[in-house]
Amino acid sequence: MQKCENCNSQFSWSKIFKSFFWWTYKPIECDNCGSEHKITILGISTVAVISILPIWIFGFFLPRFDNIFVMPGIGVLIGFIGFFCTPYVVRYKKVL
Ligand SMILES: [Zn+2]
């Protein structure tokens, strides 16, 4: 998970999660040294891919299932897993 580029302290999962949750991509401030970090273009793309992937998987597998109750369940599950894993893969850069 992302660390502070200035003092190397680990950002918390919730801190990163909150920064992209509303699609605002607020810069995160290090609790230890106060330096600001902005999400990278790659980070934004990662969030976008992870958000879109469940919908894509959903559309791809939809014709294989007849049960209309199973599919939305799987779609939501994949969405949740992807969403909660995002803070581990999103990258931030220190603001100069
Ligand atoms: Zn720091």
Side-chain angles (χ1 to χ4, degrees):
M1 202 145 67
Q2 181 75 42
K3 282 178 176 172
C4 174
E5 285 185 0
N6 195 43
C7 67
N8 238 20
S9 75
Q10 181 86 58
F11 291 144
S12 68
W13 181 90
S14 59
K15 207 176 180 68
I16 299 171
F17 189 73
K18 270 183 218 152
S19 111
F20 69 77
F21 185 67
W22 299 109
W23 295 78
T24 53
Y25 304 112
K26 272 194 308 190
I28 38 179
E29 199 178 282
C30 174
D31 286 331
N32 195 39
C33 68
S35 62
E36 283 206 328
H37 290 65
K38 277 193 130 171
I39 195 162
T40 58
I41 301 293
L42 188 71
I44 293 172
S45 318
T46 308
V47 175
V49 166
I50 288 173
S51 318
I52 291 163
L53 204 62
I55 301 163
W56 185 80
I57 291 170
F58 189 80
F60 184 75
F61 286 107
L62 196 61
R64 290 155 206 250
F65 289 92
D66 289 328
N67 193 326
I68 54 156
F69 297 106
V70 169
M71 276 319 291
I74 294 171
V76 167
L77 193 70
I78 296 168
F80 265 109
I81 294 167
F83 214 47
F84 284 102
C85 291
T86 315
Y88 294 100
V89 290
V90 170
R91 288 288 145 235
Y92 284 79
K93 251 192 120 48
K94 192 178 157 226
V95 180
L96 296 171

